[in-house]
Amino acid sequence: MKDDFDYDDDLAFNDDEDEDEDDFGMTFEEDLYLMIREKLRDTIQEYKGEYPALKKLESAVSSFKVNVKNTDDAKFYPLAAKLLSEHIKPLTQDSEEIQEIYDNMQSDITRFKNQRAHGYEGELYLTA
């Protein structure tokens, strides 16, 4: 005899919610992209007095714009992170510090493909 309790139906608290969204309505991809931008901004603010080459990085990051229409978060934010990375890559030739920041940023970018990957937390790419 089958129980009247169907786990799939009775334990589905809210099927309308997107499983990839957190409590604030952000997808993992959006949250990760914003974290990458915040780490870049905080690192630049913290160290641009000590490393003048970071002023070029600050200019490059602040001028970066992405305009991709009709793309969902799962595709837009990884693309935006990749384009940001490509945008600042030429500056890595100017400074060891920018190269280090770029390399450290790549560990967070890999998290778009593997959410369980450990992002970089360190001096020249600050944690949020």
Side-chain angles (χ1 to χ4, degrees), residues 43-122:
T43 300
I44 291 166
Q45 291 306 311
E46 179 76 23
Y47 293 105
K48 71 180 177 183
E50 189 174 340
Y51 304 109
L54 295 186
K55 291 179 183 175
K56 284 184 180 179
L57 180 61
E58 179 179 40
S59 177
V61 171
S62 66
S63 69
F64 177 73
K65 304 280 188 263
V66 179
N67 188 8
V68 180
K69 296 182 182 191
N70 302 325
T71 305
D72 65 2
D73 287 359
K75 293 178 185 167
F76 175 80
Y77 290 106
L79 176 61
K82 179 183 177 207
L83 293 174
L84 175 60
S85 176
E86 291 173 359
H87 183 70
I88 65 175
K89 187 173 184 171
L91 298 176
T92 61
Q93 298 171 9
D94 296 347
S95 157
E96 290 178 18
E97 292 78 24
I98 294 174
Q99 178 68 55
E100 185 175 340
I101 290 167
Y102 174 83
D103 292 342
N104 296 338
M105 186 176 121
Q106 297 308 306
S107 63
D108 279 335
I109 290 175
T110 62
R111 293 182 65 209
F112 283 110
K113 292 182 181 171
N114 179 4
Q115 293 182 17
R116 294 178 186 209
H118 183 69
Y120 183 81
E121 297 175 12

Side-chain angles (χ1 to χ4, degrees), residues 20 27-34 73-74 77-78 112 115:
D20 290 337
T27 61
F28 171 80
E29 292 82 6
E30 179 180 9
D31 190 40
L32 179 56
Y33 177 73
L34 293 175
D73 287 359
Y77 290 106
F112 283 110
Q115 293 182 17

Side-chain angles (χ1 to χ4, degrees), residues 10-51:
D10 293 337
L11 291 179
F13 296 110
N14 189 349
D15 288 341
D16 295 334
E17 282 188 33
D18 186 311
E19 291 178 10
D20 290 337
E21 290 189 6
D22 64 17
D23 294 339
F24 301 107
M26 266 194 252
T27 61
F28 171 80
E29 292 82 6
E30 179 180 9
D31 190 40
L32 179 56
Y33 177 73
L34 293 175
M35 181 195 69
I36 290 169
R37 292 292 300 243
E38 185 176 354
K39 282 183 176 182
L40 283 172
R41 184 194 69 226
D42 291 350
T43 300
I44 291 166
Q45 291 306 311
E46 179 76 23
Y47 293 105
K48 71 180 177 183
E50 189 174 340
Y51 304 109

Side-chain angles (χ1 to χ4, degrees), residues 2-16:
K2 184 179 182 219
D3 290 335
D4 289 334
F5 186 168
D6 185 350
Y7 285 97
D8 291 333
D9 293 335
D10 293 337
L11 291 179
F13 296 110
N14 189 349
D15 288 341
D16 295 334

